[in-house]
Amino acid sequence: RKYVLTFEEANPDDVKLLGGKATSLVLMTRLGLPVPPGFTITTVACKEYYKSGEKLPEGLMDEVIEGVRYLESKTGRKFGGGDTPLLVSVRSGAAVSMPGMMDTVLNVGLNDKTLQGFIKFIGSEHAAYDAYRRFLAMFGRIVLGIPEEEFNKPLDEIKRKYGVKEDPEIPLQGLKELVDLYKQVYIRRVGKVIDDPWEQLRLSIDAVFKSWNSPRAKFYREANKITPDIADCTAASVVTMVFGNADWRSATGVVFSRNPATGEDELYGEYLPYAQGEDVVAGIRTPKPISELKKEMPEVYQQLYEGVKKIERYKKAVQDVEFTIEKGKLWFLQTRNAKMNPLAMIKVTVDMVKQNWMTKEEAIMTIKPQHILQVLYPRIDEAKAPKPIVKGIAASPGAVSGQAVFDPDTAVEWAKAGKRVILVREETKPDDVHGFYASVGILTSRGGATSHAAVVARAIGRPAVVGAEGLKIDYSTRTAKAGDVVIKEGDWLTIDGFTGNVYVGQVSTIEPKLPPEFYELLDMADSVSVFGVKANADTPEDATIARRFGAKGIGLLRTERMFRAPGRLELFRSVILSTNANERRDALNKLAELMRRDFEEIFEIMEGYPVTVRLFDPPLHEFLPNVEELVAEVTRARTLGRPDPEKEALLARVRALMEANPMMGHRGVRLGITFPDIYMAQVKAILEAALELKKRGKNVQVQIMIPQVSEYKELEYVINNVVKPTAEEVFKNYGDRIDFKIGTMMETVRASLTADKIASVVDFMSFGTNDLTQAVFSFSRDDVENKFMSQYLNLGILPYDPFVTIDRDGVAKLMKIAVDLARSVKPNIEIGICGEHGGDADSIRILAEVVGRGLDYFSASPYRVPVARLVTAQESL
Ligand code: PEP
Ligand code: MG
């Protein structure tokens, strides 16, 4: 045989040959579960069908006849037989599921003659005629292409005639009349009733193959990028029909092998006695919970339970199983991996490791970064939520409240004023992206899950609801209407990027409660990972979250905010501006004292793990008063004839500090060399804090990191003239010492190209890939997003934003060169990355590939630590 394989002889791994639906039946057959006998006409036949101009290949029907004979022998029924008719379904199914896109024909084999045997079998004339009229309509529509109205019109007539609203209420007489009316439709449209079962079967197979290239199926494949190497044609399976509506010992149902919402290890699902699939969909009778079946048909329940568990164990994934009970006998009709809530998914995966059903490694590979991300964000507190005013597509996870604004510029303006805003637009375009960054959430009335708004919101981690079509937005009045509700600019909205719901007002959200399994999974990840994960944390709050999420230390503590806090900015300004040496020293000492307390707090939280403190990085003028305001004040004073010499001196000093290109200017290590007082004060504060904790018996591991280096002599100079002398002084005053490491940021091209020299003078290095990306591309990291990046992406000039995901061909390559150089002189030097890329799953994958184990750790912002732990583990396997 060339085209036909029975479920008993096919191989369940041949997805491309058999299609997904058939492989699930083949697998269940192989596992010894009761599956209605069937066979599959493989995709090979479908491909030949198209090659020969949509004709069934020669010899195919002979094989099909042989297949039907096999079904007859398995079931003891006869295809086209009057007494014990065999009825079959003809089902489409490609290698990937294309839900609802292709056709399936049920009850093939029914005609006036077989109907009689079917009535006897099913025990109800009503049920049999109902199946018959459904078959005539389905076959007519799908196989013969008769328009649906042709069948709907008589159906409505009959319902009117008998005064009923719903299909199942039509009395037997009405069904009989309907069958006659349908036969007349056939005669009118195709000249005859197709009552030869073999012709029905042949035409149904033809129709299933044809549906592969229906416009909707083609469109679906294009939209979902299903290329021929993924799925190249459909298979057609011929399966024995079983009936859940044969008597009260019959039923149809759906069951999950575990609870898909919670992950609890219990059967979850429902069933409807004396019914078939359509009845469940129609929702006229309420199905019963599966636990009832345990009472009503304990043996069937037990068989179902064992079967479902057997598949689950084989597939190592929770199953969503369709079944039918026909006269007390259970049949498995379909199984697939269940769609689950991500927390449930994590729980189940960890449980399966504990049950020894899967290995730690398999568990780590099962969970995707998206699962982790989805459980970390706040959710709507359903108990306290009002009715949503409108619902759209859940496009980017998280629930968030903000004030409505209708254009991106206002979003930016309001955000600068400290407001939380939700950007509401009909749809968005690349020019709006600055508004995304300024907003806490995005809401659009048009577009789908791959619209611009959705893609960008996900990329930058903003919750988003898109395509909320019930929302009528009027830019001219800055309002939006949903039914009777009018939303004005500034009104509070809450959007739920998990469900697509939109609410008026500030709906309370719940911070996610992470189950123990979440942490257990990440501990498993750590146990196989060859990379470490640390956090970028500047405050005690950050450090606490980072530690809770399992960061093994701080890879970057940016110290700038310690100078910006209220009360400190003034002190720092006098350090920069004062010409009086005593005043400056005083201010610096006070600052050092305040910073020492900050460090103590953070070191204590991170006890036992290294904390990498980066010395002062930004240009000084960022801390000074605004020049334009100063100029205005000085001018005003002069015009009033009362010049203010102090202000004028200040202005002169501020002007002197200004630079044409401050990001490439007097900052980082350059300041450390020319303005050493600041670094000295920081080193003093860090080491005093460390010694203080040491005195209290705490284990502190201090690493001091110097930024913006491009030449190793810069480092040599600050280490020998600033850091070390200060340390010695602190140790002397304290009467105690502590070990600490000195390292550098790698964020210039030159540092990377001379990494061997740099390595020779430091204990560790950490790639600042934000600045390094800026330097490698010569793109201003603060401006690209608003200016040209989105256009570059739309035009395909860049495949992705290199400030989000590390540039493989340039930046990652340079890092590889640097790491090799550094390790050539100091093989065991510690090397990490602390740019934003450290928490981006794709970047971690790229770096693991390009740089590999030359990197020791990834440092990520606290909320991204869990993803980094998972992905680094996956990349270690
Ligand atoms: C970097 O440049 O990648 C970095 C971590 O430092 P910052 O973002 O503070 O410049
Ligand atoms: Mg930097």
Side-chain angles (χ1 to χ4, degrees):
R1 272 183 275 129
K2 261 171 82 182
Y3 308 110
V4 165
L5 287 168
T6 68
F7 294 166
E8 286 178 310
E9 56 193 16
N11 177 349
D13 299 326
D14 268 344
V15 185
K16 272 197 89 174
L17 189 66
L18 304 171
K21 192 172 288 166
T23 48
S24 96
L25 292 165
V26 170
L27 172 68
M28 291 190 294
T29 307
R30 186 157 291 195
L31 291 175
L33 307 183
V35 173
F39 59 86
T40 300
I41 306 164
T42 67
T43 51
V44 172
C46 177
K47 281 185 279 185
E48 287 198 15
Y49 173 84
Y50 280 105
K51 249 187 252 153
S52 56
E54 308 201 2
K55 272 197 207 63
L56 294 181
E58 193 134 345
L60 173 64
M61 279 316 285
D62 294 335
E63 292 190 23
V64 168
I65 291 169
E66 199 184 317
V68 170
R69 297 292 174 237
Y70 156 83
L71 298 189
E72 289 175 342
S73 74
K74 296 292 279 186
T75 59
R77 299 180 194 169
K78 185 141 181 60
F79 192 57
D83 286 341
T84 52
L86 169 71
L87 302 181
V88 297
S89 59
V90 182
R91 296 171 180 271
S92 56
V96 281
S97 153
M98 298 169 43
M101 292 302 127
M102 293 186 298
D103 289 327
T104 280
V105 192
L106 303 177
N107 289 327
V108 173
L110 263 185
N111 57 25
D112 287 348
K113 178 176 147 208
T114 55
L115 182 68
Q116 298 316 311
F118 186 52
I119 291 171
K120 266 186 252 148
F121 170 79
I122 201 108
S124 148
E125 233 184 322
H126 189 273
Y129 268 95
D130 193 47
Y132 195 21
R133 65 99 189 169
R134 281 179 205 267
F135 165 71
L136 288 171
M138 190 179 211
F139 187 88
R141 180 172 58 80
I142 292 173
V143 180
L144 304 174
I146 300 172
E148 196 167 3
E149 309 91 75
E150 298 259 0
F151 297 103
N152 285 344
K153 251 189 263 153
L155 178 63
D156 289 339
E157 256 166 53
I158 292 289
K159 284 202 274 192
R160 217 171 309 123
K161 178 172 170 190
Y162 287 92
V164 300
K165 282 237 292 282
E166 306 291 345
D167 294 8
E169 299 169 284
I170 304 171
L172 176 60
Q173 186 52 34
L175 292 174
K176 286 183 172 171
E177 289 168 31
L178 197 52
V179 164
D180 282 336
L181 290 172
Y182 280 1
K183 285 181 182 166
Q184 285 164 31
V185 174
Y186 273 57
I187 289 166
R188 216 170 39 243
R189 300 292 304 212
V190 296
K192 63 169 184 173
V193 180
I194 314 289
D195 51 12
D196 173 2
W198 294 103
E199 195 180 358
Q200 289 176 358
L201 184 55
R202 185 173 55 79
L203 291 173
S204 297
I205 294 167
D206 192 285
V208 164
F209 283 167
K210 201 169 263 130
S211 70
W212 169 255
N213 263 351
S214 69
R216 66 176 201 269
K218 273 174 142 166
F219 178 80
Y220 184 90
R221 287 201 294 277
E222 260 161 47
N224 291 283
K225 302 204 171 65
I226 302 175
T227 48
D229 54 312
I230 301 171
D232 54 5
C233 232
T234 183
S237 293
V238 177
V239 192
T240 306
M241 291 287 305
V242 291
F243 296 90
N245 58 346
D247 59 15
W248 280 108
R249 288 170 56 248
S250 303
T252 183
V254 173
V255 72
F256 291 84
S257 57
R258 300 185 196 213
N259 187 320
T262 65
E264 271 330 303
D265 192 358
E266 62 192 6
L267 278 203
Y268 176 90
E270 48 192 28
Y271 72 107
L272 193 56
Y274 215 145
Q276 46 187 349
E278 294 102 288
D279 302 330
V280 180
V281 179
I284 292 163
R285 283 163 52 206
T286 311
K288 301 180 176 192
I290 201 75
S291 51
E292 295 272 309
L293 185 66
K294 195 173 186 174
K295 286 179 231 147
E296 285 186 9
M297 305 172 93
E299 280 117 70
V300 171
Y301 178 88
Q302 191 57 27
Q303 195 187 4
L304 180 67
Y305 179 83
E306 281 165 17
V308 160
K309 282 295 174 193
K310 205 165 183 180
I311 316 169
E312 181 189 75
R313 184 156 189 178
Y314 181 88
K315 299 255 284 204
K316 302 185 181 188
V318 174
Q319 295 299 299
D320 167 353
V321 175
E322 285 176 25
F323 66 91
T324 279
I325 304 165
E326 185 187 78
K327 300 187 178 178
K329 170 148 179 56
L330 174 67
W331 295 102
F332 287 85
L333 302 187
Q334 178 170 311
T335 187
R336 58 188 159 195
N337 292 356
K339 292 211 167 43
M340 282 203 291
N341 155 328
L343 268 186
M345 180 87 185
I346 292 169
K347 174 175 165 45
V348 164
T349 306
V350 171
D351 283 350
M352 284 189 181
V353 175
K354 291 183 191 162
Q355 290 169 319
N356 278 325
W357 285 24
M358 63 162 83
T359 62
K360 215 157 58 170
E361 288 76 10
E362 286 170 326
I364 291 161
M365 297 311 286
T366 300
I367 300 300
K368 305 281 172 264
Q370 291 83 317
H371 293 131
I372 301 282
L373 282 177
Q374 281 170 7
V375 304
L376 290 175
Y377 291 99
R379 297 175 164 272
I380 292 284
D381 186 350
E382 297 291 347
K384 293 187 190 146
K387 242 182 75 129
I389 51 160
V390 69
K391 188 177 167 93
I393 297 165
S396 179
V400 75
S401 303
Q403 291 176 273
V405 295
F406 294 95
D407 69 281
D409 294 337
T410 310
V412 171
E413 223 173 275
W414 287 29
K416 277 202 183 130
K419 293 184 180 171
R420 295 166 58 81
V421 300
I422 289 184
L423 179 61
V424 185
R425 300 286 289 169
E426 283 187 335
E427 56 198 343
T428 63
K429 47 186 190 330
D431 295 352
D432 298 338
V433 171
H434 55 300
F436 279 61
Y437 283 91
S439 306
V440 295
I442 318 294
L443 169 63
T444 71
S445 60
R446 289 201 214 130
T450 54
S451 63
H452 176 263
V455 171
V456 177
R458 278 196 296 270
I460 67 171
R462 298 290 188 283
V465 172
V466 302
E469 285 173 1
L471 203 62
K472 301 287 168 262
I473 298 173
D474 183 345
Y475 292 135
S476 66
T477 57
R478 294 163 178 265
T479 56
K481 252 176 110 172
D484 300 336
V485 184
V486 178
I487 299 147
K488 298 188 296 297
E489 189 173 65
D491 286 353
W492 282 88
L493 286 179
T494 301
I495 60 171
D496 183 346
F498 287 113
T499 61
N501 284 332
V502 179
Y503 307 86
V504 172
Q506 287 175 270
V507 178
S508 53
T509 52
I510 351 182
E511 287 301 314
K513 246 209 222 86
L514 296 168
E517 287 85 359
F518 175 82
Y519 297 99
E520 288 169 31
L521 177 87
L522 293 177
D523 287 344
M524 283 181 208
D526 291 350
S527 74
V528 305
S529 186
V530 298
F531 302 104
V533 175
K534 299 184 189 180
N536 294 355
D538 309 339
T539 62
E541 294 76 34
D542 284 355
T544 308
I545 298 171
R547 178 124 207 190
R548 174 151 51 87
F549 284 155
K552 303 275 188 297
I554 292 179
L556 172 63
L557 191 166
R558 293 177 169 104
T559 49
E560 287 78 60
R561 34 180 310 150
M562 292 184 180
F563 295 89
R564 284 207 176 94
R568 300 188 188 183
L569 187 60
E570 295 70 19
L571 281 173
F572 190 46
R573 276 184 185 166
S574 62
V575 172
I576 305 171
L577 297 171
S578 171
T579 41
N580 176 327
N582 282 341
E583 218 176 88
R584 286 180 51 179
R585 196 169 321 112
D586 252 19
L588 261 178
N589 280 338
K590 277 190 198 138
L591 264 177
E593 170 64 20
L594 292 168
M595 290 189 293
R596 194 201 75 215
R597 282 189 237 150
D598 295 343
F599 287 127
E600 272 183 43
E601 224 180 312
I602 296 175
F603 289 163
E604 182 151 15
I605 294 167
M606 273 292 156
E607 208 213 328
Y609 290 128
V611 175
T612 312
V613 183
R614 178 181 72 189
L615 299 183
F616 194 83
D617 184 46
L620 288 180
H621 77 91
E622 280 186 17
F623 296 82
L624 294 180
N626 181 295
V627 191
E628 277 139 41
E629 280 168 25
L630 267 181
V631 170
E633 282 174 41
V634 164
T635 321
R636 201 175 323 120
R638 282 199 186 175
T639 10
L640 291 175
R642 288 195 298 267
D644 181 342
E646 226 170 274
K647 276 263 155 67
E648 299 207 6
L650 178 62
L651 176 61
R653 184 86 180 113
V654 172
R655 281 211 167 116
L657 285 169
M658 275 173 49
E659 296 172 277
N661 204 341
M663 292 313 275
M664 300 172 92
H666 195 181
R667 57 179 296 206
V669 68
R670 300 153 216 164
L671 266 181
I673 292 167
T674 57
F675 221 97
D677 293 2
I678 300 172
Y679 274 19
M680 286 175 174
Q682 288 191 300
V683 172
K684 182 166 181 271
I686 295 164
L687 294 177
E688 284 182 358
L691 286 166
E692 199 55 41
L693 286 175
K694 185 184 170 196
K695 195 157 79 188
R696 289 175 13 215
K698 308 267 179 191
N699 170 5
V700 195
Q701 299 174 27
V702 179
Q703 308 205 350
I704 292 176
M705 180 157 75
I706 295 154
Q708 301 297 335
V709 168
S710 54
E711 158 62 38
Y712 82 100
K713 285 187 187 150
E714 289 175 305
L715 271 175
E716 221 171 35
Y717 182 89
V718 243
I719 293 170
N720 293 333
N721 296 288
V722 182
V723 180
K724 285 195 171 156
T726 308
E728 286 310 319
E729 199 183 313
V730 170
F731 296 158
K732 198 170 100 212
N733 290 342
Y734 222 87
D736 194 6
R737 319 180 58 86
I738 191 162
D739 282 337
F740 67 98
K741 289 186 177 158
I742 303 176
T744 183
M745 301 274 291
M746 299 291 282
E747 45 190 349
T748 70
V749 176
R750 196 171 183 286
S752 306
L753 292 174
T754 58
D756 44 351
K757 294 253 176 51
I758 304 257
S760 68
V761 292
V762 290
D763 303 316
F764 68 92
M765 43 178 54
S766 175
F767 286 94
T769 46
N770 305 330
D771 278 318
L772 192 57
T773 301
Q774 167 167 275
V776 169
F777 279 89
S778 285
F779 285 173
S780 161
R781 60 189 267 197
D782 299 314
D783 300 305
V784 280
E785 310 296 345
N786 300 346
K787 301 289 192 235
F788 58 85
M789 185 55 73
S790 44
Q791 225 167 322
Y792 268 38
L793 300 180
N794 286 342
L795 292 170
I797 292 173
L798 289 176
Y800 51 79
D801 182 344
F803 287 100
V804 174
T805 295
I806 200 94
D807 162 47
R808 177 192 291 266
D809 297 340
V811 180
K813 184 173 169 188
L814 181 61
M815 289 169 72
K816 165 76 174 149
I817 292 170
V819 166
D820 288 347
L821 283 172
R823 295 214 184 275
S824 72
V825 297
K826 227 181 229 182
N828 293 324
I829 186 170
E830 187 194 48
I831 305 180
I833 157 179
C834 64
E836 277 314 298
H837 305 88
D840 172 65
D842 294 334
S843 301
I844 295 172
R845 297 204 196 285
I846 291 171
L847 289 171
E849 223 175 276
V850 177
V851 187
R853 297 183 180 192
L855 278 175
D856 294 308
Y857 68 85
F858 292 78
S859 189
S861 52
Y863 271 92
R864 302 175 89 186
V865 163
V867 165
R869 289 170 73 194
L870 177 75
V871 180
T872 50
Q874 291 179 338
E875 290 303 316
S876 302
L877 293 173

